[in-house]
Amino acid sequence: FEEGYRYQHGLDGQHVDYVRAARYFERAAQFNHSGALYSLGELVEYGDGVDIDLTHAMSLFNKSSDRGNASAQYMLGLFWSQGLVDGHPSNEGLAILHYYFAALAGNTAAQMTLGFRHLYGHGVPKSCQTAVLYYTPVADKVVAIHSAGVSEVVEKMRLAEEGDNQRSKGEEEEIVQYYQFSADKGDIHAQLALGHLHYYGARGLQQDHARAFTYFQRAAQQGDVGAMSSLGHMYAQGLGVEQDNETAIHYFQQAAKKGHASAQNGLGFMYMNGYGIPQDYQQAFKYFSLSAEQSNSEGQFNLGALHIGGLGTKKDYGKAMHYFTLAAHQGHTLAMHNLALMHLNGLGTPRSCPMAVSLLKTVSERGPWAKILKHAHRAYLEGNLDKSFLLYLQAAEQGFEVAQHNAGWLMEHHIGFIRDDDDRWRRALRVLNWAAEQGNVDAELRIGDHHYYGLATPVDYERAAAHYRAASDKRNAQASFNLGYMYQFGIGIPQDSHLAKRFYDSAAEAHPDAFVPTLLALTVLRWQTHYPKLLETIYETDWEAILIALLCGSLGIVLYLLSRREVHVNPNTQRVAVPHTGVTPIRTAEVLRPQEHGQSQDAAAVADT
């Protein structure tokens, strides 16, 4: 089993080899080894080294679960929740039962799943307090990991916002190659950038503290204070280099003298704990204050910690709350955790379970288990779509909003092993509802489309309009256009030309690509308002055909004018370079009315780090 585990995860210098891992697991499974049964089930579930066989995977998980394996119990909960195996339809009761026993045994994924379900009342009673009980041990694990200085950035890719995955992946590699070329030429900024990329494991690079240390050292030798500060932190924590407090203090002092906020925080941390220097809370308070004044999140967090403990200053929960809040707004994980505890216990603020559980959930999703999102996206880029779909579905059950949205998007685009159309639309609507509950705007738009077109639910224009309005309130251009269309022609809501114009204008303001479609729609609206009798004849003929013809004519003119412009094309890629704005372009063919499904769309990487 241990040999197979090394090959499965590429440990101890071994390359990942799923085929060899499967062989070792099969040998151990003959002796009913619970870990081998579970790990073999994973390989069979995702098709790693073997063919995908969900029925066989479920059988292996059952055998492993019977021998007390908590991870196998969790996977059975997933299988029963989603009804992944033919002949075993979704059974919420069995799913919750397996999740409960897995969580009771300390399985992190099961704890997050039950925390999410109790938070929103999915298959279990809605209870903020119960959700807190499940999220707390997971958040505690994250705090322990981050306190040890071990953390990795997980880039959250939204498939619906991708333009061309392969190009995006290539662009990432080109950026890294450019940094490496510039760094070798002595460019300080490139050396510093590569140091951070290797330190956190971003832009497709694996986390590598030793390489990060090398780049920071090269930049520091040229006098870069940011690199000096980073070296100080690495020496203090023993990351990529042997731990050495004296050297850490040396680098912190050099950079702090030049006003570097992170170095000031590092020096304050050494004073606070007495690492390589006599413990002095007043000095710690001084340096943390200097750092916090420059909006450094670590400095703000540590200053809050001194206020809550009354170290180097008077104990003051209100000020502690203030500094923790400032740090949390910058994404500081430990500050979020402390804020959650303060809201939960009413320290410096009134008790608030909803605020506490929201923060605990955010913290819980920052553990190493969040790498499931990274694995799912990598499988998608490599064309292993069934595996990608299963991983996103698993993460969706755990409450990851981006995974819920991506799983819904995959199902809407006929990606995954689910072949029945009605079943696919029903499953997509389920996970999109989960994402919308957590504030996903595009999910609100998609749900509106489901109700508008009657996908897995009866046609309900009023409910469609309600979801479009929710998305429009968050400045979604397509939703605003859809509402304008519905108000213009009185579809499910009272006809109102003034509101139609307002929403068309909102669509144009929300995204520049909506300008031409809204211009055409407003033209028709003006004719409809001022010359209703003339348009009656057009309506009786086929107003939609005429509107589309106008649009096509306008697009033809635009394309003709564009073709006369000089366009520079990369001879190696034969693609026109288009700057990525981070916003999904609205396709003019779609913006005429609420989006239709069944057509494949392109995909793009939007990293939410």
Side-chain angles (χ1 to χ4, degrees):
F1 166 72
E2 291 180 358
E3 193 69 18
Y5 193 82
R6 279 195 287 270
Y7 279 110
Q8 182 186 16
H9 298 283
L11 304 177
D12 300 332
Q14 298 282 13
H15 293 291
V16 173
D17 188 334
Y18 293 127
V19 175
R20 297 187 70 173
R23 291 173 185 167
Y24 282 111
F25 289 148
E26 285 171 351
R27 295 175 191 172
Q30 292 175 357
F31 299 95
N32 291 321
H33 187 285
S34 66
L37 288 166
Y38 168 74
S39 296
L40 185 58
E42 271 193 315
L43 296 181
V44 173
E45 178 188 3
Y46 302 128
D48 291 332
V50 294
D51 293 333
I52 287 182
D53 188 339
L54 296 180
T55 302
H56 186 205
M58 190 173 188
S59 173
L60 291 167
F61 290 143
N62 267 312
K63 292 178 182 179
S64 180
S65 175
D66 290 342
R67 288 158 181 80
N69 188 291
S71 296
Q73 290 172 334
Y74 163 74
M75 292 305 298
L76 286 174
L78 173 68
F79 272 57
W80 282 113
S81 174
Q82 294 293 334
L84 297 179
V85 176
D86 292 337
H88 294 79
S90 176
N91 188 318
E92 285 289 89
L94 283 175
I96 298 301
L97 184 66
H98 284 292
Y99 284 146
Y100 173 76
F101 282 112
L104 200 63
N107 182 271
T108 299
Q111 290 168 337
M112 292 182 66
T113 300
L114 287 178
F116 171 72
R117 283 176 170 266
H118 278 288
L119 180 59
Y120 291 100
H122 295 308
V124 294
K126 185 175 182 179
S127 171
C128 181
Q129 289 77 12
T130 306
V132 166
L133 291 176
Y134 282 112
Y135 277 124
T136 296
V138 182
D140 289 344
K141 295 175 189 176
V142 175
V143 169
I145 293 169
H146 279 255
S147 296
V150 182
S151 61
E152 182 176 349
V153 172
V154 175
E155 297 169 304
K156 297 179 180 179
M157 306 296 188
R158 298 186 182 276
L159 302 182
E161 297 175 352
E162 296 194 342
D164 183 332
N165 286 306
Q166 298 304 323
R167 185 185 68 183
S168 174
K169 185 178 179 181
E171 286 177 350
E172 296 267 300
E173 294 174 352
E174 289 178 3
I175 290 172
V176 173
Q177 289 173 2
Y178 171 76
Y179 281 148
Q180 289 175 339
F181 174 80
S182 301
D184 292 340
K185 294 292 185 181
D187 186 280
I188 296 177
H189 299 295
Q191 292 168 348
L192 196 61
L194 278 174
H196 286 298
L197 291 178
H198 284 294
Y199 186 91
Y200 292 107
R203 291 198 181 276
L205 294 178
Q206 294 295 321
Q207 190 173 44
D208 189 335
H209 289 137
R211 294 196 68 181
F213 177 83
T214 300
Y215 284 111
F216 286 142
Q217 192 173 47
R218 289 166 63 181
Q221 288 170 352
Q222 299 187 67
D224 186 86
V225 291
M228 293 178 191
S229 176
S230 295
L231 286 176
H233 288 291
M234 297 187 81
Y235 272 110
Q237 299 176 71
L239 299 176
V241 67
E242 185 177 350
Q243 200 274 339
D244 187 334
N245 288 331
E246 291 185 3
T247 305
I249 291 172
H250 168 73
Y251 280 114
F252 284 146
Q253 287 176 333
Q254 278 192 311
K257 288 177 182 177
K258 298 181 179 180
H260 195 274
S262 181
Q264 291 168 339
N265 169 71
L267 195 55
F269 184 81
M270 304 301 277
Y271 272 115
M272 181 175 68
N273 293 282
Y275 292 152
I277 199 168
Q279 191 174 54
D280 189 329
Y281 291 124
Q282 280 74 29
Q283 286 286 5
F285 184 85
K286 168 190 170 182
Y287 283 108
F288 289 150
S289 296
L290 290 173
S291 179
E293 287 172 3
Q294 299 187 63
S295 300
N296 180 272
S297 62
E298 291 286 348
Q300 291 166 343
F301 167 75
N302 286 323
L303 193 57
L306 291 184
H307 279 293
I308 204 170
L311 303 173
T313 186
K314 184 180 178 181
K315 181 178 289 190
D316 190 328
Y317 290 132
K319 287 186 177 180
M321 186 82 180
H322 169 71
Y323 285 112
F324 287 149
T325 301
L326 291 177
H329 284 166
Q330 297 189 62
H332 195 283
T333 302
L334 301 184
M336 291 181 187
H337 185 256
N338 282 6
L339 273 180
L341 296 181
M342 295 182 77
H343 280 290
L344 197 60
N345 295 286
L347 298 176
T349 184
R351 289 177 185 269
S352 175
C353 182
M355 182 66 73
V357 75
S358 175
L359 289 164
L360 287 172
K361 181 179 184 295
T362 301
V363 172
S364 297
E365 293 177 353
R366 296 189 171 197
W369 39 86
K371 285 193 284 187
I372 189 174
L373 302 174
K374 179 179 179 180
H375 299 323
H377 190 255
R378 180 181 299 167
Y380 178 78
L381 292 178
E382 293 172 351
N384 195 343
L385 301 181
D386 285 340
K387 178 179 179 179
S388 176
F389 171 65
L390 284 167
L391 287 170
Y392 275 130
L393 207 57
Q394 184 177 338
E397 284 270 343
Q398 295 173 29
F400 286 96
E401 172 267 316
V402 66
Q404 294 163 352
H405 184 237
N406 286 347
W409 186 90
L410 288 171
M411 284 186 276
E412 286 187 338
H413 290 77
H414 304 265
I415 297 174
F417 54 83
I418 300 169
R419 300 292 177 254
D420 182 76
D421 281 346
D422 290 337
D423 187 32
R424 189 179 66 254
W425 289 121
R426 177 183 59 79
R427 291 170 180 268
L429 183 58
R430 183 191 189 200
V431 293
L432 288 173
N433 272 308
W434 291 353
E437 284 178 323
Q438 300 193 71
N440 185 290
V441 180
D442 189 64
E444 288 282 7
L445 174 66
R446 301 291 182 183
I447 295 168
D449 290 349
H450 276 253
H451 289 292
Y452 189 95
Y453 293 106
L455 302 173
T457 183
V459 171
D460 189 333
Y461 294 129
E462 290 185 8
R463 293 190 67 180
H467 285 287
Y468 289 149
R469 187 180 295 277
S472 176
D473 289 343
K474 297 179 181 178
R475 294 186 57 77
N476 181 281
Q478 182 71 64
S480 296
F481 189 96
N482 292 353
L483 275 174
Y485 176 90
M486 295 178 78
Y487 272 114
Q488 181 177 358
F489 299 103
I491 302 175
I493 49 180
Q495 190 172 18
D496 190 322
S497 59
H498 297 291
L499 284 176
K501 182 181 184 304
R502 179 187 301 176
F503 283 109
Y504 283 141
D505 289 339
S506 296
E509 291 172 1
H511 199 287
D513 285 358
F515 174 75
V516 173
T518 52
L519 179 62
L520 292 173
L522 286 169
T523 300
V524 173
L525 180 62
R526 291 189 187 97
W527 277 74
Q528 181 181 1
T529 303
H530 298 293
Y531 308 102
K533 292 183 179 181
L534 178 61
L535 286 182
E536 284 180 6
T537 305
I538 299 177
Y539 293 158
E540 290 173 1
T541 304
D542 190 348
W543 68 267
E544 283 190 332
I546 292 176
L547 187 59
I548 291 174
L550 286 171
L551 175 60
C552 291
S554 300
L555 287 176
I557 294 171
V558 171
L559 291 174
Y560 172 75
L561 292 174
L562 287 174
S563 67
R564 296 178 62 85
R565 297 176 60 187
E566 182 180 3
V567 181
H568 297 283
V569 180
N570 186 328
N572 297 320
T573 63
Q574 292 300 305
R575 291 181 181 273
V576 178
V578 180
H580 179 60
T581 62
V583 181
T584 309
I586 296 176
R587 295 167 177 79
T588 51
E590 293 177 350
V591 81
L592 283 172
R593 61 179 190 173
Q595 294 176 320
E596 296 190 34
H597 294 279
Q599 296 293 326
S600 177
Q601 296 183 13
D602 298 329
V606 173
D608 179 5
T609 55

